[in-house]
Amino acid sequence: MEVIIRPDADAAAGLVARIIAKELRANPHLVLGLATGRTMESVYRVLVRMHRKGGLDFSLCSTFNLDEYVGLALSDPHSYRHYMNEHLFQHVNVELRNTHLPNGQAPDLDAECRSYEAAIAKFGGIDLQLLGIGRAGHIGFNEPLSAFKSRTRVKALAPLTLEQNAEFFGGADKVPRRAITMGVGTILESRRCLLFATGAEKAGIIAKAVEGPITSMISATALQLHAHCTVVVDEAAASCLEGSEYYRRIFATEPEWEEFRNLD
Ligand code: GLP
């Protein structure tokens, strides 16, 4: 795992977008795993700008989102399909038929989960998986006790997750109780993971995810087992990390980060 600390949320989002852009330029057929949530909005804003002003080309790439609420229509403004259309897909030249999210309205949800896994396999697996982190430490909707070998499945949302998403739905009682999510095992099979978090409210959970003991109570700790996981945080989200001096030195001196250093 490598941890990159940027001075503020914009600089951190800019770095995440540049890492994605670099991978996409190196492999135009990139299979990109995408995430939702407030934090990601700033990354998608930068990617849209890079497409408009820098010609970043999404025409050959395919995408797989981590998760979707059960029971919401694709057109529902709270659905993650709607979120992705609004924040990214309709502003770049990705082929909509190459964008995938689980269908939370499928009549047979277990079959939907199996076919989502099959689709990821058919596209050759995920090259780069973008991840946010919930306040309880979930990645996707892998709530506490999610098995590290879990695959795409239906998951009941934890109380803290319902609370965290309440403002979007006008109250915790209106948040769907279940979601389809890629499993921790599915995520760990991606060739590279890129976890992005900003703000002081994420500082405690980021320290646990990165430096704490591996536990299925905090699914993000599974990323410590991944061979190529980059964590990008701003100063606020980094404030509880014990090893930050070491992480800063790596970013400041290691050659692989040179091209990303002077961008703020
Ligand atoms: C939801 C998503 C997660 C995301 C999390 C964080 O729970 N299912 O994938 O990481 O929100 O959201 P935010 O960026 O709004 O804190």
Side-chain angles (χ1 to χ4, degrees), residues 52 71 80 139 150 152 160 249:
R52 287 193 180 143
Y80 285 163
I139 45 176
S150 55
T152 302
L160 190 58
R249 178 152 55 79

Side-chain angles (χ1 to χ4, degrees), residues 111-158:
E112 171 64 14
C113 294
R114 283 193 301 275
S115 80
Y116 202 65
E117 287 279 336
I120 293 172
K122 191 174 144 225
F123 277 72
I126 292 167
D127 293 308
L128 176 64
Q129 178 64 58
L130 184 59
L131 297 159
I133 187 168
R135 267 190 287 155
H138 66 211
I139 45 176
F141 272 130
N142 288 290
E143 302 289 34
L145 297 187
S146 288
F148 283 4
K149 288 194 170 179
S150 55
R151 313 301 308 186
T152 302
R153 69 218 185 286
V154 175
K155 200 70 196 155
L157 302 183

